Amino acid sequence: MKDRLNSLWTLFQERRLSRRTFMKSCVALTAVLGLPPTKLDSVVKAAETKELPTVIWLHGHECTGCDESFIRSSSPFASDVILNMIALEYDDTLAAVAGAPLEEHLHNIIQNKSGKYILAVEGGVPLEENGIYCTVGGRPFVEVLKECAKGAVAIIEYGSCAAWGGIQAAKPNPTNTVSVSSIVSGKPIIKVPGCPPIPEVMTGVIMHYALFGQIPPLDNQGRPKQFYGNRIHDTCYRRPFFDSGLFVEEFDDAGSKAGWCLYKVGCRGPQTYNSCGNLRWWNGLSYPIQSGHGCIGCSEKGFWDNDVFYKRIPDIPMANTITTADTVGTVAAFSATGAVIAHGALTLAKNKYDDIKEEKRLKEAGLWDEEKHNNNGGGH
């Protein structure tokens, strides 16, 4: 008998869910993955024929905030991802068992599924004093990471701690904590930074690999383009106030109450790449800027050491130039003035053209009076 294919469609059939429900799920997955509607057929085919991936999820030097974020995903639900879409074989936070049996199971998965599992890592890697500042199962985390990374087909760095080192890497970094990619190499690595990352971004990345068997397109820092392709500044609903030079000066002023741009009180949206403005949090309910607080750039490298959170960044890229919050209104004003000047020049040119046409018409009709024309200063 042919071995059972552990695909998403197989699981739907086993649970006696309809084909219609399966197709609706594929439509939702297509949207979450940031794919155009034309890719729906590819998602359906993958969901029917691809084996669901085995996942090992490690926890290093971190606060478990990424796990807390992950379990709040609603599109798809984290429970659906864990129970129906992937085979999560090890996660010492979400596992039902603990201690020696769980560590033995991890060892078995590494041996039996070598080259077939995805390694998800949450947290940085402390190296000081042989890694003693973070131990798992009685061993330094750095040893566990290296052992698990050998047989991984791909590695996902969940959160800014795994991607960049995290808060514990802040100056003076007494534990010498570094990113996962500083320790392991030779494997495809997907960075999913954020403190924590958006839930749907976390599930979307792992589902992309589950469906297509390959990592999603990445930017030059190793982040998925569909989730980190735009600055928060570019998708912010307060952007029109920025373009008009209308800024909050203090958190309790009239501009704050009116919902003006938060740039002057420290918002780092102009230099932060993430999907907060698109996906938002709690099933699209809100995000920090919508709640009245500027973006702190938590998905960017070294955000914890990049100046004071409530001090504005010195300058911002705008229309192929560099400007500041003090001059953005002036730039907008000059742009408007330039538009007026350009409009005036076009109007003048059009009037001159009409005058030439009228002079030609009158001459052809024998009605042109040169003396009268000169006495009127060129008018008719």
Side-chain angles (χ1 to χ4, degrees):
M1 177 180 288
K2 184 179 179 180
D3 292 338
R4 167 185 173 277
L5 178 65
N6 186 30
S7 67
L8 184 59
W9 173 231
T10 301
L11 291 176
F12 269 72
Q13 290 176 304
E14 290 178 350
R15 288 162 175 73
R16 298 186 179 182
L17 297 174
S18 67
R19 180 71 179 181
R20 179 182 178 84
T21 301
F22 171 74
M23 292 299 296
K24 288 172 65 176
S25 298
C26 289
V27 170
L29 283 173
T30 303
V32 169
L33 295 174
L35 300 174
T38 53
K39 291 292 185 179
L40 176 59
D41 288 344
S42 298
V43 172
V44 172
K45 182 178 180 181
E48 291 175 331
T49 60
K50 293 291 184 179
E51 187 86 13
L52 297 181
T54 298
V55 177
I56 294 174
W57 191 320
L58 300 181
H59 290 260
H61 218 188
E62 42 89 28
C63 68
T64 318
C66 299
D67 251 10
E68 291 288 344
S69 178
F70 179 80
I71 62 177
R72 286 165 174 77
S73 175
S74 59
S75 299
F77 285 111
S79 56
D80 287 337
V81 173
I82 293 173
L83 300 176
N84 299 331
M85 299 178 182
I86 65 174
L88 183 59
E89 293 290 347
Y90 180 90
D91 185 325
D92 52 16
T93 300
L94 300 178
V97 297
L102 181 60
E103 297 306 312
E104 182 181 355
H105 182 67
L106 172 62
H107 179 75
N108 292 335
I109 292 298
I110 292 174
Q111 296 296 320
N112 299 330
K113 293 283 187 176
S114 181
K116 299 179 181 179
Y117 61 83
I118 299 173
L119 177 62
V121 185
E122 177 180 344
V125 189
L127 302 179
E128 191 69 18
E129 297 187 43
N130 298 317
I132 198 63
Y133 291 103
C134 182
T135 60
V136 179
R139 293 191 297 160
F141 175 67
V142 63
E143 292 183 7
V144 179
L145 172 62
K146 290 179 178 179
E147 181 181 25
C148 293
K150 288 180 181 179
V153 67
I155 299 173
I156 302 175
E157 294 176 321
Y158 274 143
S160 291
C161 293
W164 314 123
I167 301 296
Q168 50 278 353
K171 297 175 183 177
N173 192 3
T175 59
N176 191 18
T177 296
V178 299
S179 66
V180 171
S181 56
S182 298
I183 300 301
V184 298
S185 59
K187 304 284 184 179
I189 297 179
I190 311 166
K191 289 184 180 293
V192 187
C195 193
I198 299 170
E200 286 73 22
V201 172
M202 298 181 73
T203 53
V205 168
I206 205 165
M207 279 310 304
H208 189 285
Y209 194 93
L211 290 173
F212 300 110
Q214 59 186 15
I215 64 175
L218 306 177
D219 66 11
N220 60 3
Q221 294 193 47
R223 304 172 297 192
K225 289 182 178 179
Q226 65 259 52
F227 298 119
Y228 297 90
N230 293 310
R231 298 179 302 168
I232 289 178
H233 185 62
D234 298 326
T235 58
C236 182
Y237 72 97
R238 297 183 189 234
R239 177 65 183 268
F241 294 111
F242 171 88
D243 293 337
S244 299
L246 300 174
F247 298 98
V248 173
E249 302 288 344
E250 297 180 1
F251 282 107
D252 60 349
D253 64 12
S256 177
K257 296 174 183 177
W260 288 2
C261 179
L262 296 163
Y263 179 76
K264 279 193 174 183
V265 289
C267 183
R268 297 179 183 177
Q271 63 179 22
T272 302
Y273 289 81
N274 211 332
S275 295
C276 300
N278 296 333
L279 297 179
R280 308 192 180 187
W281 297 76
W282 287 101
N283 199 21
L285 176 65
S286 185
Y287 72 117
I289 291 175
Q290 187 175 336
S291 300
H293 193 288
C295 167
I296 65 171
C298 74
S299 58
E300 295 302 308
K301 185 176 183 179
F303 78 91
W304 47 86
D305 285 329
N306 291 337
D307 298 322
V308 180
F309 286 154
Y310 300 104
K311 178 181 178 181
R312 75 181 189 214
I313 50 180
D315 48 46
I316 42 175
M318 179 180 177
N320 296 321
T321 186
I322 296 293
T323 187
T324 70
D326 295 323
T327 60
V328 65
T330 305
V331 171
F334 275 122
S335 298
T337 302
V340 171
I341 293 174
H343 176 72
L346 289 173
T347 302
L348 181 63
K350 182 177 185 303
N351 290 342
K352 183 66 176 176
Y353 177 72
D354 290 342
D355 286 346
I356 294 173
K357 286 182 61 178
E358 179 67 7
E359 178 182 335
K360 182 179 180 181
R361 185 185 69 82
L362 291 174
K363 284 181 177 180
E364 291 176 349
L367 301 176
W368 179 256
D369 190 333
E370 187 71 34
E371 182 179 355
K372 182 179 179 181
H373 171 77
N374 293 330
N375 289 338
N376 287 338
H380 300 301

